[in-house]
Amino acid sequence: MSDMKRPLPAISPESKPFWDAVQQDKLLVQHCNSCDTNIFYPRRICPECWSKDLGWVEAKGTGTIYSITTTYLGTTSEFTKELPIHVAYIDLDEGIRMASNVVGVGAESAKIGDRVEVEFVKANGDFKLPLFHLIEE
Amino acid sequence: MGKIAIIGYHEVPTQINPERTRWDIAEEVIIGAVKNAGIDKDDVQGFINVAPQAQPDLISQTAFGLLPEHFGFKNVKDNVICNAGGASTTNCVRMAEQWITSGMCEVVLVPHITVQSDIPAEDLITFFAKAPMHQEWEFPFGMTFNGAMALITQRYMHETNSTEEEVASITHALRDWGARDPYSLFHNKPKSTEDVMGARMISTPLKSVECNMLADGGGCLVIASEEYAKKHCKNPVWKLGHGSDFLGGTPIVREDIFWREGYRKSCGEALAQANLSVEDIDIHEIYGAYPFTQASYLEANGICEPGEGARYHAAGHTKLGGKTPCTTIGDATGRGHTGSGVSMAFYCQVARQLRGEAGENQVEGAEKVMMVTSGGSGMNTLATIWGK
Ligand SMILES: [Zn+2]
């Protein structure tokens, strides 16, 4: 997968700690210290209580597939070499839902309810994205 | 009787025709709608334009007043553009209502023009991949518009035990309407459920014909006050109610992923305002652009049991002659997707049905129509009710 040429995420000051951590093989979830809510995606203020007292918790990196689709056609050209691609909504054990890909052994038969674990994959040059592989539990 | 009415409309057929320019379509729909209303053009006092997605030049031109100037409208008090994606037309109509009921205008024009087929395919794919998808949290993972809707559909099938065939039958029903409609890109091109199942896979479970084909089109509505409509118009189509609900901009963080709650709230509000119950509605026009929305709407409004929406379509209830005629325009998958203008096409269809001008798709005796539109990747559901 080292020849991936994914479009890079548009990183903002408030999301930079998330992406910096991903580059060091860590998955962070933004956390509101005022109302104790986990937040996804990262923002400048807590969408629940508008507090700016925000921090980060390190996620365990495990979750459950909420939904998954295999895309064969219709992505922008950067993805063409990777098709078909398994795009999923992953419910992290920390209670937030993120979009990602299921990769690796068995990805083509992954289904709703399957357990997954994060891995950090070079997606464009040295830049890593958090993708997920199936795990047995 | 409502406070405002559609007193004229005109639409060009949905086509893929890059030869046909934006100004050529503008001329046909604006002049056509004014003539259809049978009014003097200088009675028009306001322009509220539907923003055409992916067309920045045209957006500037319409926002800054080139249309009323080009056509020589002499008594226009203001010109604006409104952009809520596919829900733009509903917002334009609501703004027209506010301009009219506040006393600013008696007659307002709502035009929409889209030509997407002269935009390079790669640019269009990039635009529609990025515009409704979150650029940081969805797009880098290969999420497309079709992919996001496929994820919702997969989850729908999982939770309701609906089969891929039952979902495919929704597109069959939509293409059945579209095949009889000379304004549809798919006129005379029906698709059986087997055809839908056999089409090229885009993003499981959605096949090519269950996704949208981008096309060119345009339409125009003439909206008037109650007083003006009664005085000048033989067959006004009255607005009876309106309801709205905002679901959220990004599919991954949306709680109401099937849009059911949005339909329940917006349709409930519109019905209450119109003093009607759902049983009073003769036609349901649902602009969701993807098949699951046709099922969610029925479930949300209690037309079928929760989780039975796809099977309700599979049983044929939503087709012409069925007990619940739904989406007689065929939605975007049965009509072609004219950017933000699919909602314009829906409004023209409401006028056709209530005036008895819907040709081979006419639902006999239709007196009340409920229509919902949605924008972005489904950020909102806006319901309006119309009657004659
Ligand atoms: Zn908070």
Side-chain angles (χ1 to χ4, degrees):
Chain A
M1 290 226 228
S2 54
D3 62 343
M4 280 192 208
K5 285 278 179 273
R6 295 280 183 101
L8 296 180
I11 298 173
S12 61
E14 42 289 354
S15 66
K16 192 169 180 297
F18 175 93
W19 292 111
D20 285 348
V22 165
Q23 306 319 308
Q24 323 218 335
D25 296 353
K26 279 186 196 150
L27 191 63
L28 298 185
V29 176
Q30 197 180 33
H31 183 79
C32 174
N33 298 322
S34 297
C35 73
D36 203 28
T37 302
N38 285 338
I39 302 165
F40 191 83
Y41 43 86
R43 303 171 209 192
R44 293 169 56 85
I45 54 163
C46 170
E48 298 298 323
C49 72
W50 286 6
S51 169
K52 291 191 172 182
D53 182 11
L54 303 174
W56 299 89
V57 292
E58 186 172 349
K60 284 188 294 175
T62 45
T64 304
I65 297 176
Y66 179 77
S67 193
I68 182 161
T69 182
T70 301
T71 294
Y72 291 89
L73 208 64
T75 53
T76 55
S77 57
E78 300 100 320
F79 293 95
T80 311
K81 275 202 279 183
E82 285 188 62
L83 295 176
I85 185 171
H86 310 292
V87 183
Y89 289 167
I90 308 290
D91 283 347
L92 291 189
D93 294 342
E94 285 74 19
I96 60 104
R97 178 174 302 156
M98 60 185 292
S100 184
N101 301 128
V102 176
V103 295
V105 178
E108 61 290 336
S109 53
K111 59 186 188 309
I112 291 171
D114 285 351
R115 293 286 291 165
V116 290
E117 182 177 38
V118 72
E119 67 178 79
F120 301 93
V121 177
K122 285 186 180 176
N124 187 337
D126 278 333
F127 190 86
K128 293 180 192 171
L129 287 174
L131 308 185
F132 289 79
H133 59 256
L134 291 170
I135 46 171
E136 297 286 337
E137 283 207 339
Chain B
M1 208 124 319
K3 291 178 192 144
I4 59 162
I6 298 171
I7 61 166
Y9 72 96
H10 190 88
E11 196 191 356
V12 298
T14 299
Q15 291 180 330
I16 292 175
N17 181 4
E19 302 301 310
R20 185 144 206 206
T21 70
R22 290 161 180 80
W23 286 91
D24 156 30
I25 292 175
E27 255 168 55
E28 180 177 336
V29 299
I30 289 172
I31 294 171
V34 170
K35 284 189 174 166
N36 181 262
I39 63 171
D40 184 325
K41 83 170 167 42
D42 293 325
D43 280 2
V44 174
Q45 293 174 307
F47 261 67
I48 303 177
N49 303 276
V50 177
Q53 285 294 358
Q55 299 170 92
D57 286 350
L58 189 58
I59 285 179
S60 301
Q61 289 162 358
T62 45
F64 299 150
L66 272 194
L67 286 182
E69 175 183 277
H70 180 90
F71 293 95
F73 284 86
K74 300 286 186 281
N75 292 313
V76 167
K77 295 186 174 183
D78 203 3
N79 173 88
V80 298
I81 193 165
C82 171
N83 192 352
S88 299
T89 313
T90 303
N91 282 292
C92 290
V93 170
R94 176 164 257 187
M95 189 181 280
E97 181 174 356
Q98 286 158 352
W99 283 12
I100 288 166
T101 55
S102 68
M104 172 179 159
C105 296
E106 275 199 303
V107 182
V108 176
L109 225 59
V110 177
H112 168 261
I113 303 114
T114 273
V115 177
Q116 300 182 113
S117 61
D118 66 356
I119 301 171
E122 183 67 22
D123 292 359
L124 268 186
I125 289 171
T126 303
F127 182 85
F128 282 100
K130 285 184 178 177
M133 291 297 104
H134 203 294
Q135 290 217 39
E136 186 168 6
W137 304 107
E138 295 180 320
F139 182 55
F141 299 100
M143 186 81 78
T144 61
F145 210 152
N146 292 332
M149 299 301 129
L151 284 161
I152 298 169
T153 310
Q154 292 281 34
R155 186 74 198 183
Y156 179 85
M157 287 166 42
H158 175 80
E159 287 189 20
T160 64
N161 288 316
S162 301
T163 64
E164 215 169 307
E165 255 118 350
E166 286 163 347
V167 172
S169 75
I170 299 174
T171 300
H172 156 65
L174 295 169
R175 289 289 293 259
D176 189 59
W177 290 105
R180 284 187 301 270
D181 183 351
Y183 285 85
S184 167
L185 184 61
F186 306 114
H187 185 218
N188 290 328
K189 292 177 183 161
K191 289 276 183 207
S192 66
T193 299
E194 295 69 38
D195 293 337
V196 177
M197 289 296 289
R200 191 170 179 188
M201 186 64 81
I202 302 291
S203 215
T204 54
L206 297 180
K207 274 74 69 181
S208 56
V209 293
E210 294 171 291
C211 300
N212 292 252
M213 173 133 16
L214 294 178
D216 310 331
C220 184
L221 305 174
V222 186
I223 312 280
S225 69
E226 179 179 350
E227 200 180 5
Y228 186 96
K230 279 185 186 164
K231 198 162 152 193
H232 296 276
C233 184
K234 289 195 301 287
N235 45 11
V237 171
W238 298 102
K239 184 178 175 187
L240 306 178
H242 193 137
S244 316
D245 193 46
F246 177 74
L247 316 184
T250 306
I252 36 167
V253 296
R254 208 176 278 158
E255 281 177 33
D256 177 18
I257 76 153
F258 303 123
W259 316 5
R260 286 190 194 115
E261 202 49 23
Y263 287 132
R264 196 183 62 72
K265 286 184 187 161
S266 60
C267 297
E269 199 176 309
L271 286 165
Q273 212 177 88
N275 201 21
L276 295 170
S277 70
V278 75
E279 292 77 25
D280 298 321
I281 301 296
D282 302 306
I283 302 175
H284 305 263
E285 297 280 358
I286 308 147
Y287 171 31
Y290 286 84
F292 78 87
T293 60
Q294 303 288 326
S296 293
Y297 172 96
L298 295 171
E299 295 170 18
N301 284 300
I303 295 166
C304 66
E305 294 296 312
E308 293 300 314
R311 282 179 282 273
Y312 195 86
H313 282 274
H317 298 319
T318 61
K319 293 164 81 171
L320 185 64
K323 59 182 172 183
T324 313
C326 281
T327 318
T328 73
I329 194 176
D331 201 4
T333 44
R335 176 45 113 85
H337 197 291
T338 52
S340 302
V342 187
S343 52
M344 170 60 72
F346 268 86
Y347 278 93
C348 292
Q349 180 73 355
V350 167
R352 275 187 206 102
Q353 285 284 3
L354 288 173
R355 284 180 171 188
E357 297 168 357
E360 289 183 53
N361 278 337
Q362 182 65 46
V363 174
E364 287 310 318
E367 293 192 353
K368 302 279 186 293
V369 181
M370 180 146 69
M371 177 175 58
V372 290
T373 62
S374 298
S377 57
M379 66 162 181
N380 55 3
T381 57
L382 305 184
T384 55
I385 297 173
W386 298 84
K388 57 182 179 183

